Amino acid sequence: MQTVSTRATLANAVAALKSGGKTLALVPTMGALHEGHLTLVRQARAHADRVVVSIFVNPRQFGANEDLGAYPRQLAADTAVLAAAGVDLLWAPDLNEIYPAGYATTVSVAGIDHMLCGMQRPGHFDGVATVVLKLFNQVAPDVALFGEKDWQQLTIIRRMARDLDLSFPNAAAIIGVATVREPDGLAMSSRNRYLTADQRARATALNRAMRTAAGAMVAGEPVAHAIGALRQALVLAGFDRIDYAELRDAETLDALTGWDPARQCRLLVAAQIGRARLIDNMAVEPALANPPELVSNG
Ligand code: PAF
C-alpha cells in the first residue's frame, strides 16, 4: 500500500491506480479505524478494482466545545491495518493540504443539515459536505462508501452529489453500508472508546430500546408512545441526555408522526452517556415483526 500526504503525489498515485481503465473506490474516514471501517473497505473492493482510503480529522466538522483535540489519532496503527486489508492507497493529508492559507469556501446542504444532529452541532454538516466534496474532487472515485450509522451524513452527501451534478450521476454511486455492530447490538464507533466499562454495559440499552420501539411501531403502537418508552428506557439505563429520538422519512428526513409500511421510515436517535455522544438508526419496516435475536453480554 502506498501512503501519500500531498496533493501533488496524490494526483500521480491516483493516475497510476486508474491506468488501464481500472475503477476506483474511495472510503473517507477520520481514522481510529475499527471493524466498521474494514467492512467499508471490503465492500469497496467488491465495487471497484482499486481502493483508496482517506484519513483526515476534519476540524471543520467539530464544534467549538466538541472533541477535536481528544479525537483519537493513530496513523501508524491505522496504516498497518489498511495495508493488511489490501488497500491500494492511503491519502493522509495534513491540515494545510486540505485547507491552505486563505481557504474560504463552505458547502452547505440547506435544510436537512439543520435538523437532528445539525440542531446540536451547528456547522457540522457544512464541514462534512465541504471536506467530502474536496475528497471527491481530489480522488475522483467511481464509487464512494459511507457507513449507514451516520444516516443523516449519508443523506446529505447523496443530496450534495445530486444537487451539484457530481460525476456520480445517480445516488447509487454513493454506497451506504449497513452499520456494523458489536454482538450485543452497540453500533461500532471510534467514539465508543470514550465509554467506561460501566457506561459500555449500559450503552447496550440504546439499540435494544430502538429495536423494541421499532417493533412496537410495526405492531401498530402510536409512534409517540413507542418513542416515549424508548426515551424512558434510556433514562433508566443511565443515559445523561437524549438529543433526539425520532421517526423520519429515510430519504427526505421529514418528521413522521405515524409509521407507514409503504414508506421508507427510519428511527434515528442520539444520546449522551458519559463523554460519548452515541448515534444510531434503523429501518422501521414490516420485517421487524420477526426480529433476529442479538447476543447479550449479560
Ligand atoms: O464519517 C466520517 O468519518 C467523516 O464524517 C467523514 C465522512 C470522513 C468526513 O470527514
Side-chain angles (χ1 to χ4, degrees):
M1 182 182 76
Q2 189 183 359
T3 300
V4 295
S5 56
T6 65
R7 273 172 295 148
T9 47
L10 176 71
N12 290 335
V14 164
L17 285 181
K18 288 185 164 180
S19 70
K22 296 277 192 292
T23 56
L24 203 148
L26 171 66
V27 179
T29 83
M30 297 204 301
L33 304 178
H34 50 68
E35 187 52 34
H37 296 110
L38 294 181
T39 302
L40 294 178
V41 167
R42 282 191 289 273
Q43 292 282 319
R45 171 74 62 221
H47 283 91
D49 302 316
R50 304 278 191 246
V51 177
V52 180
V53 173
S54 63
I55 294 183
F56 178 66
V57 181
N58 174 32
R60 288 181 174 243
Q61 67 187 78
F62 288 79
N65 301 317
E66 294 186 12
D67 58 344
L68 175 61
Y71 199 83
R73 288 158 173 89
Q74 47 177 57
L75 187 58
D78 288 346
T79 303
V81 163
L82 294 174
V87 168
D88 298 286
L89 177 66
L90 170 59
W91 169 221
D94 69 20
L95 191 61
N96 287 331
E97 285 293 320
I98 299 290
Y99 303 119
Y103 183 88
T105 301
T106 297
V107 180
S108 197
V109 184
I112 53 175
D113 65 339
H114 275 68
M115 55 179 72
L116 302 171
C117 283
M119 292 265 282
Q120 272 79 30
R121 308 185 70 190
H124 167 68
F125 289 115
D126 286 359
V128 170
T130 301
V131 80
V132 168
L133 181 57
K134 284 178 69 76
L135 292 168
F136 285 174
N137 285 335
Q138 291 161 356
V139 177
D142 296 278
V143 295
L145 294 94
F146 297 87
E148 287 186 352
K149 185 178 81 68
D150 298 293
W151 186 265
Q152 188 176 9
Q153 167 174 283
L154 177 61
T155 306
I156 283 173
I157 291 167
R158 283 189 165 136
R159 183 76 64 88
M160 173 183 75
R162 196 188 70 190
D163 289 354
L164 297 183
D165 309 317
L166 298 191
S167 51
F168 309 109
N170 59 68
I174 292 176
I175 297 166
V177 176
T179 302
V180 180
R181 299 181 181 280
E182 303 288 356
D184 61 13
L186 181 67
M188 288 193 187
S189 165
S190 303
R191 290 187 168 99
N192 288 353
R193 66 186 72 193
Y194 296 160
L195 297 167
T196 64
D198 175 56
Q199 290 159 356
R200 169 67 187 80
R202 288 186 281 125
T204 60
L206 176 56
N207 186 249
R208 199 166 47 243
M210 289 177 67
R211 285 184 295 115
T212 302
M217 290 175 201
V218 171
E221 193 171 316
V223 166
H225 288 184
I227 285 183
L230 184 160
R231 286 178 162 274
Q232 200 174 13
L234 295 186
V235 171
L236 283 173
F239 275 76
D240 301 303
R241 195 183 73 227
I242 301 162
D243 284 348
Y244 59 79
E246 295 188 29
L247 187 69
R248 297 265 172 159
D249 180 280
E251 193 192 335
T252 62
L253 298 183
D254 289 343
L256 302 176
T257 50
W259 179 66
D260 178 354
R263 204 167 174 171
Q264 303 277 313
C265 299
R266 206 91 193 167
L267 175 62
L268 301 107
V269 181
Q272 183 87 24
I273 181 164
R275 282 179 58 216
R277 181 175 179 277
L278 304 181
I279 59 172
D280 202 350
N281 69 86
M282 61 184 291
V284 182
E285 56 195 2
L288 291 176
N290 305 300
E293 285 299 311
L294 286 175
V295 179
S296 166
N297 273 353

